[in-house]
Amino acid sequence: FQAAIEGKWEIKLTPVKYVPHSWFGDLHGQNSQRGWPADANLDCLGGKMHSPGLYSDQQLESERLVAEREGYDIDIVKADMTQPLPFADESFDMIIQPVANCYVEKVKPIWKECYRVLKKGGVLLVGLDNGINYLFDSEDEKYVVNSLPFNPLKNPDQMQQLEKDDFGVQFSHTLEEQIGGQLEAGFTLTNLYEDTNGEGRLHELNIPTFIATRSVK
């Protein structure tokens, strides 16, 4: 937190690479201790570290305690990102979503809601799974054991795999859904990069399994 106050901060949307600072634009406000504009509103949607979509009550309480301890203001909202978001139109300057869409079956409605709650010129930063991980066995990543799409609600064998590995319920998505869905919602794609798992055989072979995108309303 102290480093962030001094302007030394990094954010990951995917396992390995940091988001370029240029993707955030000018975050320095004259009245801000934290390097954020005094009037900026940010929504952190559905990620493991920031999540009005997937957090438990205990995790949300931890967020509140840290904010109280460090002396910064934060609005914590527990909601379901597969449903209409509990925010007014054009409420946010930026939405940050680490890889989380893999936990929902349908992603296009999420992009439409993100577009609705962002202000004109607002930025959407998202980490996306490109589906390759779901093809391979989870132990050694040597064998193709699944076809796509990976949907455990429609394929009992895939649900059994997830239960065995304690991975929760996950879904693969096409680039048409992930990137095309953003464009369909009205966003303009301004940048992207690929990333790997950070460990395992696919990572060692430098096979990209994730994509980070920057889109603007």
Side-chain angles (χ1 to χ4, degrees):
F1 178 76
Q2 185 59 42
I5 290 177
E6 297 170 358
K8 302 172 184 176
W9 54 271
E10 300 289 352
I11 289 179
K12 287 181 178 178
L13 296 171
T14 54
V16 179
K17 296 181 180 179
Y18 290 105
V19 180
H21 281 204
S22 61
W23 282 27
F24 295 90
D26 183 10
L27 297 180
H28 295 279
Q30 293 181 354
N31 299 321
S32 174
Q33 292 181 333
R34 299 179 298 279
W36 299 98
D39 61 348
N41 291 313
L42 282 82
D43 183 14
C44 301
L45 178 66
K48 292 183 179 179
M49 297 303 293
H50 312 275
S51 174
L54 298 176
Y55 257 0
S56 68
D57 291 333
Q58 184 176 359
Q59 289 170 312
L60 291 173
E61 178 62 14
S62 296
E63 289 277 10
R64 187 192 66 78
L65 290 173
V66 170
E68 185 177 272
R69 182 191 70 200
E70 303 295 349
Y72 60 84
D73 296 325
I74 183 172
D75 292 323
I76 299 175
V77 178
K78 182 180 179 180
D80 183 347
M81 69 179 181
T82 67
Q83 302 298 318
L85 299 175
F87 306 115
D89 295 355
E90 300 187 357
S91 297
F92 296 95
D93 298 282
M94 182 179 291
I95 295 175
I96 301 172
Q97 187 197 47
V99 177
N101 285 343
C102 55
Y103 296 104
V104 299
E105 186 177 14
K106 298 179 180 179
V107 298
K108 286 188 176 182
I110 295 174
W111 304 137
K112 292 179 180 178
E113 277 297 283
C114 288
Y115 190 86
R116 179 183 67 80
V117 302
L118 273 174
K119 298 176 183 177
K120 184 176 181 180
V123 177
L124 174 67
L125 304 181
V126 186
L128 308 170
D129 189 306
N130 67 12
I132 291 177
N133 278 314
Y134 296 102
L135 290 171
F136 291 87
D137 68 284
S138 60
E139 185 173 353
D140 298 318
E141 298 178 347
K142 289 184 177 180
Y143 305 102
V144 174
V145 296
N146 288 308
S147 60
L148 297 179
F150 187 94
N151 187 331
L153 299 184
K154 297 179 179 179
N155 188 322
D157 290 339
Q158 293 174 352
M159 180 66 80
Q160 191 173 29
Q161 292 174 40
L162 293 172
E163 291 174 348
K164 174 179 175 292
D165 294 323
D166 195 23
F167 284 167
V169 179
Q170 298 187 33
F171 305 86
S172 70
H173 297 289
T174 65
L175 294 184
E176 290 180 39
E177 295 173 280
Q178 299 277 45
I179 297 178
Q182 293 183 44
L183 302 178
E184 185 178 309
F187 285 101
T188 298
L189 181 68
T190 63
N191 217 324
L192 61 82
Y193 61 82
E194 294 180 303
D195 202 1
T196 65
N197 287 334
E199 60 182 2
R201 187 167 182 267
L202 296 180
H203 170 73
E204 292 168 359
L205 293 174
N206 198 35
I207 295 176
T209 50
F210 295 94
I211 298 174
T213 62
R214 180 187 190 272
S215 299
V216 177
K217 179 174 177 177

